[in-house]
Amino acid sequence: MFEQLPEGHMIKTMVTEHEHILAMLDELQDISLQLSDNDRNNGMASMNRANELADKIIGAEPHHQREELVLFSTLEELGVSGPTQVMRMEHEMMREMKHDLKSQTGNADGDWSVRVEKVSQLISELCSMLRQHIDKENNILYPIALQSITADTQWEEMRIRCDEIGYCCFCPETQKELDGASI
C-alpha cells in the first residue's frame, strides 16, 4: 500500500523512518543479549553502542512532532481522535523511556550487573512498546489517514508543514530531495 505512494509523501516518509527505527530496535535487542553474556570489560563496547542507538532513537523526535502537529491534528479536524490520542500518549511514554535508556547507558557508575539488568529491561520495554506502536501506526492509523484525507492539495500543505518541522537524522532523504518530490 505505502510503496505505491509518491516519493516525498508524508506517509511514505514516515513508513521509511519506521523501517530505520525497527532496524535500530533489532540491534538494541542484540546488544541486550550481548550485555548479559559479558563482563564489564567486554561489555563496555556494547553499552556504548546502546548509548549511540539511544541517541539516534531520540533523534526520531521530528518524526513524532510531524505526526502530532501535522497528521494527528489534521485527522482530529476530520473527527478522527481516538487513535491519535492513544498515539500521543504512547509518544510521551516512549520519550521518557528513550531518555532513561540514554541516561542508563551513559552512566558508568555503580554495579555492572545491576546496570546491565536495568539497561536490558529498558531495552526490552522500549522495543516492545515501540514495535507495537509502529505496527498500530502502519496498519491502523496511516490507512485511516490515507482514507480520510483525500485531497492532494491537503497532503501537499501537510508536507510543507512537515518540511518546516524537519526530518530524522538517520533517514537517507534530505530536505533537498524531499523538496523536489511531489506530495
Side-chain angles (χ1 to χ4, degrees):
M1 160 194 318
F2 303 124
E3 55 278 341
Q4 296 170 349
L5 295 172
E7 290 304 317
H9 190 286
M10 151 180 210
I11 298 293
K12 189 168 190 169
T13 300
M14 289 184 174
V15 169
T16 299
E17 289 170 338
H18 281 170
E19 291 166 1
H20 286 272
I21 293 167
L22 289 169
M24 287 187 274
L25 297 181
D26 289 342
E27 187 176 352
L28 266 178
Q29 287 181 303
D30 289 344
I31 287 170
S32 180
L33 294 173
Q34 293 167 12
L35 284 172
S36 61
D37 291 339
N38 288 312
D39 62 18
R40 183 182 186 112
N41 291 334
N42 294 327
M44 281 308 296
S46 296
M47 191 68 76
N48 290 337
R49 180 61 183 152
N51 186 269
E52 292 169 7
L53 288 168
D55 254 347
K56 285 187 173 188
I57 293 171
I58 289 169
E61 187 57 28
H63 173 93
H64 300 306
Q65 290 295 310
R66 290 191 325 271
E67 286 178 332
E68 292 172 6
L69 299 174
V70 180
L71 182 62
F72 297 176
S73 63
T74 301
L75 285 170
E76 289 162 354
E77 289 170 9
L78 296 171
V80 178
S81 62
T84 59
Q85 289 173 353
V86 171
M87 296 297 107
R88 274 193 174 91
M89 179 187 69
E90 290 180 2
H91 283 178
E92 285 304 314
M93 293 168 58
M94 289 184 297
R95 281 182 183 109
E96 187 175 321
M97 294 169 81
K98 292 178 215 178
H99 287 280
D100 284 349
L101 181 61
K102 173 69 177 160
S103 174
Q104 289 295 325
T105 56
N107 178 9
D109 297 334
D111 182 270
W112 175 255
S113 61
V114 171
R115 183 174 174 211
V116 166
E117 186 176 326
K118 284 181 183 177
V119 167
S120 294
Q121 183 66 30
L122 270 170
I123 288 172
S124 176
E125 291 172 4
L126 177 62
C127 288
S128 176
M129 180 173 215
L130 196 42
R131 284 181 193 287
Q132 290 173 19
H133 179 83
I134 287 171
D135 185 65
K136 286 185 266 191
E137 286 183 341
N138 284 354
N139 295 304
I140 299 169
L141 188 69
Y142 294 169
I144 288 172
L146 291 169
Q147 186 175 32
S148 301
I149 305 166
T150 57
D152 287 347
T153 55
Q154 190 166 20
W155 283 111
E156 181 60 30
E157 290 168 10
M158 291 168 63
R159 194 189 66 97
I160 290 167
R161 290 171 48 206
C162 286
D163 289 349
E164 292 169 1
I165 293 168
Y167 296 88
C168 296
C169 60
F170 51 77
C171 278
E173 291 98 0
T174 64
Q175 185 82 22
K176 188 180 265 187
E177 289 169 351
L178 287 169
D179 286 344
S182 62
I183 58 172

